[in-house]
């Protein structure tokens, strides 16, 4: 299984069957070039606490995670895409299950356009 910390995580993930993403110890979401969710792993559903809500075909920043439609999150992704490279890592706080949870977020370019968003939960902010 791919490691969250490996440099070429997006390429490793793209080499797996989509069903294998459900068993990862971190969440994986693939957006197309327009920001529409094309893959939303079972691991992300389980770890985030988002459950079985519809995700595929929805605009990620408007319909799935509007809290991330900010210069700090979406703005960084768009700036990196405009620069031709997309390989970001940063911290984020909060998800569906726990608004105080600390997350490590990695965003890397996807083959054919768009990007992968990987999220690893690390505990609560108070315990970090």
């Amino acid at each position: 299984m791919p490691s969250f910390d490996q440099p070429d995580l997006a390429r490793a993930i793209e080499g797996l069957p989509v069903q294998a993403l459900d068993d990862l110890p971190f969440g994986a979401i693939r957006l197309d070039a327009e920001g529409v969710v094309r893959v939303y792993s079972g691991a992300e559903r389980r770890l985030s606490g988002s459950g079985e809500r519809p995700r595929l075909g929805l605009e990620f920043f408007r319909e799935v995670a509007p809290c991330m439609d900010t210069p700090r999150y979406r703005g960084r992704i768009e700036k990196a895409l405009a620069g031709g490279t997309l390989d970001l890592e940063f911290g984020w706080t909060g998800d569906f299950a726990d608004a105080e949870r600390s997350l490590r977020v990695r965003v890397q370019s996807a083959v054919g356009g768009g990007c992968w968003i990987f999220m690893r939960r690390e505990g609560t902010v108070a315990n970090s």
Side-chain angles (χ1 to χ4, degrees), residues 8-71:
D8 60 346
L9 181 55
R11 298 299 82 75
I13 293 296
E14 288 172 341
L16 296 175
V18 173
Q19 297 80 6
L21 303 182
D22 295 345
D23 297 326
L24 293 170
F26 53 87
I29 303 166
R30 186 186 186 289
L31 308 181
D32 67 16
E34 287 75 43
V36 174
V37 177
R38 296 300 170 200
V39 174
Y40 197 93
S41 73
E44 179 61 18
R45 289 180 183 282
R46 182 179 69 257
L47 296 167
S48 70
S50 69
E52 294 304 315
R53 297 176 192 162
R55 297 286 182 243
L56 298 180
L58 299 180
E59 203 283 321
F60 182 75
F61 294 107
R62 188 169 52 85
E63 300 173 291
V64 176
C67 62
M68 294 179 169
D69 193 2
T70 67

Side-chain angles (χ1 to χ4, degrees), residues 1 6 24-25 31 50 52 58-59 63 72-73 81 84 86 89 95 102 123:
M1 278 297 199
Q6 72 185 69
L24 293 170
L31 308 181
S50 69
E52 294 304 315
L58 299 180
E59 203 283 321
E63 300 173 291
R72 181 172 174 239
Y73 193 92
L81 279 172
L86 184 53
E89 183 171 351
D95 63 20
S102 174

Side-chain angles (χ1 to χ4, degrees), residues 67-68 72-73 90-105 119-126 128:
C67 62
M68 294 179 169
R72 181 172 174 239
Y73 193 92
F90 50 92
W92 188 258
T93 302
D95 63 20
F96 292 99
D98 184 354
E100 296 300 315
R101 181 165 293 172
S102 174
L103 296 97
R104 289 302 312 154
V105 179
M119 294 189 217
R120 180 174 68 192
R121 275 79 186 165
E122 299 186 325
T124 60
V125 174
S128 296

